[in-house]
Amino acid sequence: MNNQDRSARGFMNDAEFVRKVLIVLGITLLALLLWKLSDVLLLAFGAVLVAILLHAASDALVRFLKVPSRWSLTAASLLIFILFLAIIALFGTQVRAQFSNVVERLPFAVDNFSKQLGLGPVSDDLSEIVSNAPTGGMAARLAGIGGAILNGLADFILVVIAGLYIAAAPRLYREGFVKLFPMHHHPRVHSSLQASGEALKLWLTSQLIAMACVAVLSTIAFWLIGLPSALALGLIAGIADFIPFLGPILGALPAILIAFSVSGEAALWTVLAVMAIQQIEGNVIFPLVARHVISVPPALALFAILIGSVLFGTLGLIFGFPLAVVTYVLVKKLYVRETLGEQTDVPGEPGSGSRQEAGS
């Protein structure tokens, strides 16, 4: 081999090495960028959930009320908006007053609960901490809380508006995402998106119905027990139920703490009522409203929620389970079936006939 051939081969090896280094650097930079944009990506995922909800509502209007397809999405959006305004008009003042009552009673309820445990009043310690805290620091904390509430409201409005845009032209965004991949992968990516979207629609519809049932049953139970602000406590329980496993516990805590401020008997009945409602939801409500809901193994779903909360904070806690739904569908379809060649049902695919239990 002459020197010219050796020089050419060495140049090719160097060029190949540089190409691989650039690929690794590009992947690393992309990963860092995605990490920096994680909150934005989670909000985009929330917008996708809003779009899926709107399409589920429009499909129901077409199926049950025979609304023309071209008007169904507009009708569904207006119906949800009018329903939201009606709820605010009918119960807004009462709910706001009851939420204020809950906020006022919670310190006393925490004190009463800590006394039951023999720990003494907690609010005195909190008052001492607050009184000894620098005024500027306390003002900064209050400003931070107000800013967090405003940011949360802004994020919610952004998600709803983006969801409306996605729902209005889903093909535009779906095809745009598919074109990010090589052409020979387009059919796989397209079918994976369809299966994931259908699985999310089934889960989201069932979850929202279950949340409404939990809110109604909790409100009735807390009212019968004699808890103050039963409507607000029931709404808290229903909204928190969106987060499987951890949500029912978090949603029940305000009711249980306030029940301790009423009496020990009320606290006992509240705990029993919460347990009974969760059993009714898991064994009666969810099986009735969910025909084919993705069956994420409970331990994996719980760890997915915890990992999401650790990595991404509140947004990760909220969207941890639906992200686990999408991941579960993609792993079963793209890895178990298409890579390993194993036969498995993929929830959300047309013709998937396996009856699945919900991880709720």
Side-chain angles (χ1 to χ4, degrees):
M1 182 180 294
N2 55 34
N3 291 334
Q4 187 175 3
D5 291 337
R6 290 177 180 174
S7 177
R9 176 169 292 183
F11 177 78
M12 292 176 62
N13 290 337
D14 291 343
E16 182 68 17
F17 175 75
V18 171
R19 188 179 72 86
K20 291 180 179 178
V21 169
L22 291 177
I23 291 174
V24 171
L25 287 176
I27 294 174
T28 304
L29 290 175
L30 179 61
L32 290 175
L33 179 63
L34 292 177
W35 177 259
K36 286 290 186 180
L37 297 176
S38 58
D39 287 348
V40 177
L41 295 176
L42 286 173
L43 291 176
F45 182 72
V48 171
L49 290 180
V50 171
I52 290 173
L53 174 62
L54 291 174
H55 271 282
S58 66
D59 291 343
L61 291 179
V62 172
R63 181 178 178 182
F64 297 109
L65 298 181
K66 308 303 180 184
V67 177
S69 299
R70 64 180 181 275
W71 299 110
S72 60
L73 182 61
T74 303
S77 302
L78 289 176
L79 184 62
I80 293 174
F81 183 68
I82 292 172
L83 181 63
F84 183 71
L85 290 181
I87 292 174
I88 292 178
L90 292 175
F91 303 106
T93 304
Q94 184 179 3
V95 170
R96 184 171 63 250
Q98 291 197 14
F99 267 105
S100 299
N101 189 31
V102 169
V103 173
E104 292 174 359
R105 282 178 170 269
L106 271 179
F108 175 71
V110 172
D111 270 353
N112 194 51
F113 181 68
S114 64
K115 288 178 183 178
Q116 298 283 344
L117 299 178
L119 300 178
V122 179
S123 60
D124 294 342
D125 297 334
L126 293 177
S127 300
E128 184 177 351
I129 293 173
V130 171
S131 62
N132 294 331
T135 306
M138 184 57 60
R141 290 189 185 92
L142 292 175
I145 294 173
I149 294 174
L150 290 177
N151 287 336
L153 181 60
D155 289 343
F156 176 76
I157 295 173
L158 174 64
V159 166
V160 171
I161 294 175
L164 287 170
Y165 280 121
I166 296 174
R171 174 176 287 185
L172 173 66
Y173 300 97
R174 185 171 60 247
E175 296 299 330
F177 182 79
V178 170
K179 289 179 180 178
L180 295 176
F181 297 86
M183 186 170 294
H184 62 278
H185 287 309
H186 285 187
R188 296 177 65 191
V189 176
H190 193 274
S191 62
S192 299
L193 288 177
Q194 282 188 322
S196 300
E198 186 64 23
L200 281 175
K201 184 177 76 171
L202 292 170
W203 172 78
L204 183 61
T205 304
S206 304
Q207 190 68 30
L208 290 175
I209 295 174
M211 288 168 58
C213 293
V214 168
V216 172
L217 291 176
S218 298
T219 300
I220 294 173
F222 298 156
W223 176 73
L224 291 175
I225 293 170
L227 298 186
S229 306
L231 178 58
L233 293 173
L235 286 176
I236 292 172
I239 294 171
D241 199 62
F242 182 81
I243 305 172
F245 306 109
L246 299 180
I249 299 174
L250 298 175
L253 282 178
I256 294 173
L257 289 174
I258 288 180
F260 270 105
S261 70
V262 176
S263 67
E265 183 180 358
L268 177 60
W269 280 112
T270 301
V271 172
L272 292 177
V274 169
M275 294 175 62
I277 290 170
Q278 291 306 314
Q279 289 299 314
I280 292 172
E281 180 199 8
N283 298 312
V284 179
I285 297 173
F286 225 97
L288 287 177
V289 300
R291 291 182 302 169
H292 301 285
V293 178
I294 186 167
S295 176
V296 179
L300 293 181
L302 179 59
F303 278 113
I305 295 171
L306 293 176
I307 291 171
S309 64
V310 170
L311 292 179
F312 308 115
T314 304
L315 288 177
L317 179 65
I318 294 172
F319 297 127
F321 189 82
L323 284 172
V325 169
V326 174
T327 303
Y328 188 73
V329 170
L330 295 180
V331 167
K332 291 195 74 175
K333 178 176 175 57
L334 299 179
Y335 181 70
V336 176
R337 179 192 290 174
E338 299 189 9
T339 301
L340 299 182
E342 298 286 344
Q343 294 297 321
T344 182
D345 287 330
V346 178
E349 279 191 339
S352 179
S354 60
R355 188 176 183 82
Q356 312 219 10
E357 297 177 358
S360 176

